[in-house]
Amino acid sequence: MDQPFIVALDFQSRKEVEAFLRPFVNEPLFVKVGMELYYQEGPNIIAALKEQGHRIFLDLKLHDIPNTVKQAMKGLARLGVDLVNVHAAGGTNMMKAALEGLDAGTPSGMARPLCIAVTQLTSTSEEMLHHELWIERPMEEAVLHYASLAQESGLDGVVCSAREVPLIREQCGTAFITVTPGIRFADDETNDQVRVVTPKEAQKLGSSFIVIGRSITRAADPYAAYARLKREWNEEES
Ligand code: C5P
């Protein structure tokens, strides 16, 4: 997985996805398909994207009893996606079951999809953590604890804020994958993201993969925006 950019295909229909991807016909991307698109279009959208050469992060954030997650993951692995995820809040047994399902469903000769965990959603505030979820520890400790649980369960990494990456790398090592959304170009609007970083900042913080959505998908010229992303990422600092 040398490509460090994951483009979030937050669209509702295959038609919109096709229109967006048209300029990228000779530039296979690493794309993220989330609930919005998958629940509308189903497994066919994955087959279509794979046919066009794109790699896929299927972002469905599974969270259920271990056996259900295992069986669901078996099916997702058969789709041939590259990366999937679960909520670490489902616990160690659920995360281990996810891996068992992925192993069982991976077609022979293919690599098992990488599996990462959501630690705490970035929409969860410190206040919500304490008063709604009744988790008494500070957010940072809760995130690090969930990252460790994911690692101990055998998962490949976590989804987190780029700002959390240095601590997670310190605790879990540099081979543990960090996938970080909340990325904006310096002159972009932040939209509903609260704490954003630029691609270069995410790189400096040590993100393994950055997830970038609207800065590319809603750009006047998405192909040019993607080219800018690559240029900024590869620019040497003066
Ligand atoms: O458009 P934008 O770059 O904000 O898109 C970010 C993508 O990453 C969206 O698909 C969003 O759902 C996802 N995401 C996020 N924060 C998380 C987990 C996922 O923004 N903690």
Side-chain angles (χ1 to χ4, degrees):
M1 295 236 191
D2 43 341
Q3 169 76 276
F5 318 119
I6 303 179
V7 180
L9 296 180
D10 291 326
F11 298 107
Q12 298 220 325
S13 71
R14 181 164 174 173
K15 228 170 132 186
E16 287 173 78
V17 170
E18 279 169 1
F20 167 73
L21 287 175
R22 211 158 287 138
F24 295 95
V25 64
N26 294 317
E27 170 109 38
L29 299 176
F30 194 166
V31 295
K32 180 170 92 66
V33 174
M35 296 182 195
E36 182 182 351
L37 181 60
Y38 191 76
Y39 290 160
Q40 290 302 311
E41 297 290 344
N44 289 344
I45 190 73
I46 302 297
L49 290 167
K50 275 177 62 76
E51 225 163 82
Q52 292 163 33
H54 304 298
R55 283 186 306 152
I56 298 159
F57 170 17
L58 186 52
D59 176 21
L60 298 181
K61 302 187 180 69
L62 275 65
H63 187 177
D64 209 318
I65 59 170
N67 190 54
T68 301
V69 168
K70 178 176 170 178
Q71 300 305 336
M73 283 299 191
K74 211 189 268 186
L76 297 186
R78 285 198 201 104
L79 300 177
V81 295
D82 300 276
L83 180 61
V84 294
N85 59 357
V86 296
H87 273 283
T92 311
N93 286 342
M94 189 206 75
M95 289 191 270
K96 287 182 178 164
L99 291 178
E100 282 169 28
L102 290 171
D103 279 332
T106 302
S108 69
M110 281 180 64
R112 144 171 102 62
L114 293 174
C115 186
I116 58 178
V118 176
T119 53
Q120 291 294 332
L121 292 170
T122 41
S123 53
T124 304
S125 63
E126 192 97 25
E127 146 100 14
M128 196 179 147
L129 190 74
H130 303 321
H131 296 116
E132 291 187 31
L133 306 185
W134 277 17
I135 295 173
E136 288 172 7
R137 301 295 183 97
M139 177 67 79
E140 196 174 278
E141 274 183 43
V143 166
L144 281 174
H145 174 63
Y146 280 37
S148 288
L149 272 188
Q151 189 174 39
E152 284 157 27
S153 307
L155 262 61
D156 303 294
V158 287
V159 184
C160 61
S161 144
R163 295 173 202 270
E164 293 161 357
V165 168
L167 276 176
I168 290 175
R169 279 166 66 96
E170 196 181 304
Q171 178 165 294
C172 301
T174 52
F176 196 60
I177 295 169
T178 50
V179 176
T180 65
I183 306 292
R184 291 288 179 275
F185 292 120
D187 50 359
D188 269 349
E189 286 184 25
T190 56
N191 308 111
D192 56 349
Q193 297 281 17
V194 181
R195 295 191 311 153
V196 297
V197 300
T198 65
K200 203 69 191 174
E201 282 164 346
Q203 183 188 65
K204 282 191 212 144
L205 290 162
S207 296
S208 320
F209 293 93
I210 58 173
V211 175
I212 185 157
R214 284 161 288 184
S215 292
I216 297 206
T217 55
R218 307 285 178 224
D221 181 346
Y223 191 80
Y226 189 73
R228 174 180 175 186
L229 172 65
K230 287 196 291 186
R231 196 171 56 243
E232 288 191 6
W233 187 268
N234 293 317
E235 235 158 38
E236 298 286 335
E237 294 286 294
S238 51

